[in-house]
Amino acid sequence: KSARRTCLVYFTTYLPQITRCLFSTQELMAPFADVFPVPPLGCNCSIIGDTESKKAVVVDPGGNVQVILEKLEANGLKCDKILVTHGHLDHIMGAEELKAATGASVVLHQDDLSLYNKVDEQCRDFGCPPPPPLPEPDAFISDGDVIEVGEGMKFEAIHVPGHTPGSTTYVFPHHNMCCVGDTLFQGGVGRTQWGGIPSLQGTSNGQQLIASIKFKLMTLDPNLKVVTGHGQGTMIGQEKATNPFIR
């Protein structure tokens, strides 16, 4: 409970009461998708796969890597890429262990490399034990990049700076879902003020965050399901109609 409270205080501007966040395969009506919270701060980790090629990506492996590996194995999937939505500790701490176990390439936006490389400082500020040294990124993603994983499974990267300089949303059209990290929440947006957190001071921009949401995320299909960085998922159309921070 204390870890979840920390997550709510430090990574969101507003987030309603939550229990757990899961989009089931049946609900998505897609080849394969599993979304589940991982420690240390309840980040939503996503396994998104292609049942034809048996390849998958893992988005934001914050922890519990053994659980991630078990889920991949149980569904006959091989992790091809580790996608990082942004460089905050709770979204990246399992990257080394997952890469070592699967050989997957680590992908993020270059503008968050500094945060990624300062994970130990972030862990100090949040009172978390630091992870093993993170692997060097294998590739940097850019706004508008479309990447194919296996046969028929593609995703698009959308650069949405604000919560962090390199925050990136990954859109999976065949799964009708997107992973937005901590940029957008159900009825809320990501935090941009970091008083008392030296490692994150000066790394966020509130005006930039709102612009990213309004002019990039809110132009997506309103029926697109949204996997948020923490807590309950939502839909683009729901947030466009009701989110008080972007109206």
Side-chain angles (χ1 to χ4, degrees):
K1 291 183 179 178
S2 61
R4 177 160 285 172
R5 284 198 297 270
T6 302
C7 154
L8 295 179
V9 170
Y10 290 125
F11 290 99
T12 74
T13 297
Y14 168 78
L15 191 61
Q17 183 67 30
I18 60 173
T19 52
R20 55 200 294 252
C21 177
L22 282 176
F23 285 137
S24 69
T25 306
Q26 292 81 9
E27 184 181 354
L28 286 168
M29 298 180 65
F32 181 85
D34 192 0
V35 182
F36 48 96
V38 295
L41 300 178
C43 158
N44 283 328
C45 176
S46 302
I47 299 175
I48 303 169
D50 171 20
T51 55
E52 294 296 322
S53 68
K54 299 297 184 181
K55 291 186 178 181
V57 300
V58 175
V59 184
D60 288 349
N64 264 9
V65 172
Q66 188 57 43
V67 171
I68 298 172
L69 293 172
E70 290 171 0
K71 287 176 177 287
L72 287 165
E73 183 178 5
N75 291 280
L77 295 169
K78 176 177 173 55
C79 180
D80 185 73
K81 288 180 171 55
I82 298 167
L83 305 182
V84 176
T85 61
H86 64 291
H88 285 164
L89 76 159
D90 53 323
H91 295 255
I92 61 177
M93 287 178 65
E96 166 58 30
E97 186 179 351
L98 185 58
K99 179 179 174 64
T102 64
S105 56
V106 176
V107 179
L108 75 157
H109 195 284
Q110 189 165 13
D111 288 353
D112 264 17
L113 182 60
S114 176
L115 282 170
Y116 182 86
N117 287 336
K118 293 179 179 178
V119 65
D120 285 0
E121 295 176 35
Q122 294 185 56
C123 287
R124 174 204 65 202
D125 292 345
F126 283 91
C128 298
L134 295 179
E136 290 292 323
D138 296 285
F140 293 115
I141 202 88
S142 297
D143 187 55
D145 283 354
V146 176
I147 308 297
E148 185 168 1
V149 180
E151 296 179 6
M153 176 178 158
K154 297 180 180 180
F155 65 88
E156 180 181 1
I158 302 176
H159 185 210
V160 285
H163 182 63
T164 66
S167 284
T168 299
T169 287
Y170 298 102
V171 180
F172 299 86
H174 295 294
H175 295 70
N176 190 39
M177 67 186 291
C178 63
C179 299
V180 300
D182 290 351
T183 294
L184 179 68
F185 293 92
Q186 185 184 83
V189 298
R191 186 177 174 179
T192 56
Q193 299 295 321
W194 302 102
I197 312 294
S199 59
L200 299 183
Q201 289 281 0
T203 61
S204 300
N205 184 306
Q207 291 183 335
Q208 198 175 43
L209 173 72
I210 298 302
S212 290
I213 296 171
K214 282 186 174 181
F215 303 120
K216 290 192 171 182
L217 296 187
M218 292 302 105
T219 63
L220 298 174
D221 184 343
N223 295 314
L224 194 67
K225 291 182 173 68
V226 177
V227 177
T228 58
H230 304 265
Q232 186 63 47
T234 184
M235 297 181 71
I236 291 294
Q238 177 180 334
E239 297 312 305
K240 188 173 184 178
T242 65
N243 193 310
F245 290 90
I246 56 175
R247 298 181 74 182

